[in-house]
Amino acid sequence: MTTPDVLIIGGGLHGLSAALHLARGGATVSLLERRFVGRHASGASAAGVRTLGRNPLELPLSMGAMQMWHSISDLVGDDCGFVAQGQLRVYETDTQADRELARVAALRAAGHENEVMIDQQTLRGLVPGINDKFIGACYAPTDGAADPHRTLVAFRAAAQQAGVQLHEGSGVSALSRDGSRWTIDSEAGRFSAASVINASGAWGARVASLVGEEIPMAAKASMMMVTERIEAMIRPVVSIVGRSLSFKQSSQGTLVLGGGIQGRYDLDREETTLDFRALAAGASAACELMPAVRGLRINRCWSGLEGKTPDLLPVIGPSTVAAGLYHVFGFSGHGFQLVPAAGAAVAEMVATGRPPATLSPFSAARFTTRDVAA
Ligand SMILES: Cc1cc2nc3c(=O)[nH]c(=O)nc-3n(C[C@H](O)[C@H](O)[C@H](O)COP(=O)(O)OP(=O)(O)OC[C@H]3O[C@@H](n4cnc5c(N)ncnc54)[C@H](O)[C@@H]3O)c2cc1C
């Protein structure tokens, strides 16, 4: 039997990041991934590195993550393709402008200065060719985007160099507590560990239910489209208030379009299916934003499976029913940016037994205790 200090279930970016930070802190770590590293959300991600428009409850963790992205090579020995090209959230009506102004004012009152309001002229300077109907934007100049595959390669290599034992093709089927240790049964055999981290993405609630913990979670299948290459036309990543669109241009010239347009999913088969009507709606929103892109060919589409919680915030914290089990899943479509800081916070929680303050909004107890109070 293999006996690491910590066993991590799930080889997405959150499992890898927790593994890396724990191993650097001196723990022995085994990571079990049912398929292969990056098979699900982390390998399908648009990799937007965004504080813009985030739920304020996520901002303390997200701001820490943003600092880490700006020196990500120090953590993983590669820049992960991260470019701080800025992110914009454009709006088209006075009512939306008023709401955004109030939102940004509330952020500033809470001490967050990551977003500024810009007028139409400044917006046009940043995004030449944008449709005239967009009258202004919120702008986060130090946000950006990374390359998801490069990020996976870098986190995987750094974790392995730090000593993490990685087992792919090794789904976990059972967990049982035996005294002060966990016994974990998997396709890679039986393990015994003092602590277990459930980083199993869209299957996080199912893994929690292996120990009788019921955490409400649905799933989502966000879709992406990539066009043919064109000349450089836009630098920042652009989203539209009230719409499912994110629009950016890669360094190769392709336009990468996403923003949460949904396909269909089957958790049992671990599959997603593209919904071409929804993709068409996303493509027309892109043409509305930047009329010059009408007629471009779309070369490739894909979708990825991710857990979606009732309040769209992740579950990061100790299990509410089992000592020595910690959850980190359910990022609801925006977990890529949080990866470096969430891994550090999870490692601190496992080492000290207490979640740091940045994790307090994400406790699994927010669902279970609300049910009890009701
Ligand atoms: C299309 C798309 C676009 C996105 N764009 C952005 C973006 O622009 N910005 C942003 O911040 N976020 C974005 N996200 C979200 C972000 O990619 C995810 O939040 C993040 O990758 C989640 O990582 P994870 O490690 O929690 O999950 P995953 O990467 O899904 O990893 C979970 C792993 O657990 C494994 N597993 C499950 N059950 C078991 C088991 N029983 N035993 C062993 N292994 C198991 C799975 O095989 C899987 O590999 C996007 C997501 C998608 C799908």
Side-chain angles (χ1 to χ4, degrees):
M1 180 149 57
T2 314
T3 57
D5 298 327
V6 185
L7 183 131
I8 298 180
I9 306 171
L13 281 166
H14 283 285
L16 289 171
S17 181
L20 169 64
H21 286 283
L22 280 158
R24 292 240 173 104
T28 55
V29 182
S30 293
L31 187 152
L32 303 183
E33 162 54 45
R34 182 159 57 194
R35 304 296 168 211
F36 53 86
V37 161
R39 163 66 183 89
H40 286 292
S42 300
S45 187
V49 178
R50 173 180 64 80
T51 62
L52 182 73
R54 268 193 189 264
N55 185 322
L57 292 172
E58 272 185 344
L59 273 178
L61 187 66
S62 177
M63 299 298 257
M66 193 52 88
Q67 274 186 6
M68 294 170 87
W69 277 108
H70 279 263
S71 56
I72 197 74
S73 299
D74 294 346
L75 182 66
V76 291
D78 186 83
D79 69 11
C80 299
F82 172 67
V83 179
Q85 69 243 58
Q87 293 226 6
L88 283 164
R89 188 175 144 87
V90 302
Y91 48 78
E92 50 193 300
T93 68
D94 290 337
T95 312
Q96 289 173 337
D98 289 346
R99 266 197 225 120
E100 291 301 299
L101 193 59
R103 191 181 62 76
V104 172
L107 285 180
R108 290 188 166 258
H112 300 300
E113 302 204 337
N114 53 314
E115 294 192 36
V116 290
M117 302 291 290
I118 58 170
D119 61 16
Q120 191 178 43
Q121 195 186 350
T122 314
L123 174 60
R124 285 190 191 156
L126 285 167
V127 188
I130 191 169
N131 191 325
D132 285 351
K133 72 196 279 187
F134 295 104
I135 58 173
C138 306
Y139 181 38
T142 62
D143 284 7
D147 176 332
H149 303 112
R150 224 168 130 167
T151 306
L152 276 162
V153 168
F155 272 81
R156 176 192 181 123
Q160 287 185 300
Q161 275 159 22
V164 174
Q165 298 294 313
L166 199 60
H167 303 264
E168 292 172 285
S170 304
V172 169
S173 52
L175 291 174
S176 59
R177 185 87 172 156
D178 180 13
S180 62
R181 291 184 76 82
W182 286 97
T183 301
I184 303 100
D185 287 311
S186 79
E187 290 160 286
R190 181 163 278 191
F191 291 72
S192 166
S195 304
V196 171
I197 297 176
N198 169 15
S200 50
W203 298 269
R206 290 191 179 188
V207 169
S209 73
L210 292 177
V211 299
E213 185 170 15
E214 296 308 321
I215 298 177
M217 192 167 76
K220 56 191 298 192
S222 299
M223 301 188 289
M224 302 291 305
M225 294 174 269
V226 175
T227 69
E228 62 189 306
R229 294 178 188 203
I230 55 171
E231 280 182 17
M233 74 179 305
I234 184 168
R235 187 169 159 78
V237 181
V238 184
S239 58
I240 307 179
V241 170
R243 309 265 197 99
S244 292
L245 177 72
S246 89
F247 185 114
K248 71 179 170 220
Q249 187 164 26
S250 72
S251 53
Q252 295 86 25
T254 56
L255 298 179
V256 183
L257 310 175
I261 324 160
Q262 293 301 297
R264 289 181 288 274
Y265 63 84
D266 183 331
L267 275 181
D268 294 325
R269 295 166 67 94
E270 299 177 39
E271 278 177 9
T272 57
T273 312
L274 295 172
D275 177 336
F276 283 92
R277 280 180 197 277
L279 282 172
S284 38
C287 297
E288 200 178 321
L289 179 75
M290 295 290 284
V293 308
R294 186 171 294 281
L296 279 184
R297 277 173 301 195
I298 292 167
N299 280 351
R300 205 157 56 88
C301 308
W302 71 90
S303 59
L305 241 175
E306 158 112 286
K308 179 179 160 191
T309 64
D311 58 9
L312 305 181
L313 293 173
V315 176
I316 318 178
S319 160
T320 56
V321 304
L325 172 65
Y326 301 89
H327 302 302
V328 51
F329 64 82
F331 286 88
S332 305
H334 44 262
F336 183 88
Q337 190 266 349
L338 300 173
V339 162
V346 168
E348 183 183 335
M349 168 169 68
V350 173
T352 63
R354 280 189 320 278
T358 49
L359 298 187
S360 60
F362 312 128
S363 159
R366 74 187 190 271
F367 299 122
T368 46
T369 51
R370 197 177 298 155
D371 288 349
V372 170

